[in-house]
Amino acid sequence: MFNIGDLVQIDSNCALKYFAGKIAIVVNNLGQDHTMTNESGYNYDFGADEGSEPSCYYSLLFSNGNQHVFSNKELIIISRAERIKNENR
């Protein structure tokens, strides 16, 4: 799972090769997708093994100001965002 503010890199195996290797910041967690199906057209048994967990989708902000959506399986963490408490409030 990624958090808002995390710095990520798009995996080189991404379906959209244009984005492969690009760096972005996570700006929103869009939730999980439980609609994935296998080759036979049946829903995955999400509790069966680790390889069949549903994808979680994130909105990413790129350096050119554009936002795009990617699954956690297409992202590599570079740096975790640090949460700083504002004690002056």
Side-chain angles (χ1 to χ4, degrees):
M1 294 290 291
F2 299 98
N3 296 312
I4 294 172
D6 287 351
L7 187 64
V8 295
Q9 182 175 22
I10 310 302
D11 193 314
S12 61
N13 294 327
C14 174
L16 302 172
K17 296 301 179 194
Y18 170 81
F19 291 103
K22 296 205 177 204
I23 295 175
I25 296 174
V26 176
V27 293
N28 200 0
N29 179 340
L30 302 175
Q32 292 184 330
D33 177 12
H34 290 280
T35 62
M36 297 184 322
T37 56
N38 60 20
E39 297 80 25
S40 304
Y42 299 103
N43 287 336
Y44 280 115
D45 180 4
F46 294 112
D49 62 358
E50 290 185 25
S52 62
E53 288 187 23
S55 294
C56 190
Y57 290 92
Y58 298 92
S59 179
L60 305 180
L61 177 65
F62 289 84
S63 61
N64 62 3
N66 291 336
Q67 289 187 25
H68 299 280
V69 175
F70 289 88
S71 79
N72 62 308
K73 296 176 182 180
E74 299 173 304
L75 304 177
I76 302 166
I77 188 75
I78 293 177
S79 177
R80 295 263 180 216
E82 291 186 25
R83 303 287 180 233
I84 299 173
K85 285 186 177 180
N86 187 349
E87 295 180 6
N88 296 332
R89 288 188 177 182

